[in-house]
Amino acid sequence: DADVTQTPRNRITKTGKRIMLECSQTKGHDRMYWYRQDPGLGLRLIYYSFDVKDINKGEISDGYSVSRQAQAKFSLSLESAIPNQTALYFCATSERTRPNEQFFGPGTRLTVL
Amino acid sequence: EDQVTQSPEALRLQEGESSSLNCSYTVSGLRGLFWYRQDPGKGPEFLFTLYSAGEEKEKERLKATLTKKESFLHITAPKPEDSATYLCAVPHGSSNTGKLIFGQGTTLQVKP
């Protein structure tokens, strides 16, 4: 079984819709991250969480919100999706002592029409 | 502003043809440099951590090196299964936050 799972793997939605992407991990890591990946722009950090009660904005948080429901679950929401949020989204986890050695999920491909 | 630049964007090699990928960085105080591998349709996979100039790390056909301005990922006698996008990253701000700045990657294709 995969250590970091993401659902859904693919999603097509329309402008203005609310979307939630979910991430679960069985690695027992405290820290979790949400990234988006765009061609030519690389991976960019949206939000990160040190633990259930500590959530922080990343480089590009506008238009996104997150929820850390438990140590193992971290969800990303797009309150009102827009076409330029079309991208590949990755969840990642890390140990507190090695925060830069991150373990990524398989990704969610989101298309906003 | 912290920046990471990788070159070339794409590299095609014949099986067995050795080469190097470059990662140049501009940071206000290096707190580590990290290499990841990303296969098509998958999330990045951690490869190496380098902390100081002169440090080297090896894994199979890959060797990562670090200077004060750049890092190289040397690929010796590559095989088709080494085909992937290789990403490098540096920490942004405090090294303990996990906030990474990624380069745009080098996509390597190794032909049999």
Side-chain angles (χ1 to χ4, degrees), chain B:
Chain B
E1 181 182 348
D2 295 345
Q3 268 192 325
V4 179
T5 303
Q6 292 187 246
S7 62
E9 286 187 19
L11 182 62
R12 283 187 176 183
L13 299 174
Q14 288 297 128
E15 185 172 1
E17 180 186 2
S18 301
S19 188
S20 297
L21 283 55
N22 177 265
C23 172
S24 299
Y25 59 88
T26 305
V27 295
S28 57
L30 185 65
R31 292 168 292 275
L33 186 138
F34 304 85
W35 281 97
Y36 286 79
R37 168 188 170 132
Q38 185 175 18
D39 292 306
K42 296 188 177 181
E45 177 184 351
F46 170 74
L47 289 174
F48 301 113
T49 301
L50 300 164
Y51 280 113
S52 56
E55 188 174 359
E56 299 182 351
K57 292 279 180 70
E58 287 189 63
K59 181 178 181 179
E60 295 182 350
R61 295 173 292 281
L62 301 177
K63 183 168 77 173
T65 62
L66 183 65
T67 73
K68 290 185 178 180
K69 293 183 179 181
E70 57 194 348
S71 177
F72 292 95
L73 186 64
H74 306 278
I75 303 175
T76 302
K79 298 182 176 182
E81 53 262 42
D82 295 320
S83 298
T85 296
Y86 291 88
L87 305 169
C88 68
V90 297
H92 175 68
S94 166
S95 64
N96 199 37
T97 63
K99 291 176 66 176
L100 290 172
I101 300 172
F102 281 88
Q104 293 182 18
T106 294
T107 298
L108 172 66
Q109 184 180 29
V110 181
K111 294 201 166 186

Side-chain angles (χ1 to χ4, degrees), chain A residues 32-96:
Chain A
M32 298 187 74
Y33 312 83
W34 275 105
Y35 291 90
R36 67 176 279 176
Q37 188 173 40
D38 300 272
L41 294 177
L43 276 162
R44 292 180 292 167
L45 184 64
I46 306 172
Y47 271 94
Y48 60 106
S49 171
F50 288 156
D51 60 40
V52 174
K53 296 182 180 180
D54 190 349
I55 295 175
N56 304 275
K57 291 182 177 181
E59 183 184 356
I60 52 163
S61 59
D62 287 349
Y64 301 95
S65 62
V66 290
S67 173
R68 186 84 183 264
Q69 300 94 326
Q71 187 202 36
K73 295 184 182 296
F74 194 33
S75 300
L76 176 73
S77 292
L78 288 66
E79 296 302 325
S80 180
I82 56 177
N84 76 0
Q85 291 177 313
T86 293
L88 194 52
Y89 290 84
F90 289 103
C91 173
T93 72
S94 72
E95 295 179 42
R96 187 184 317 121

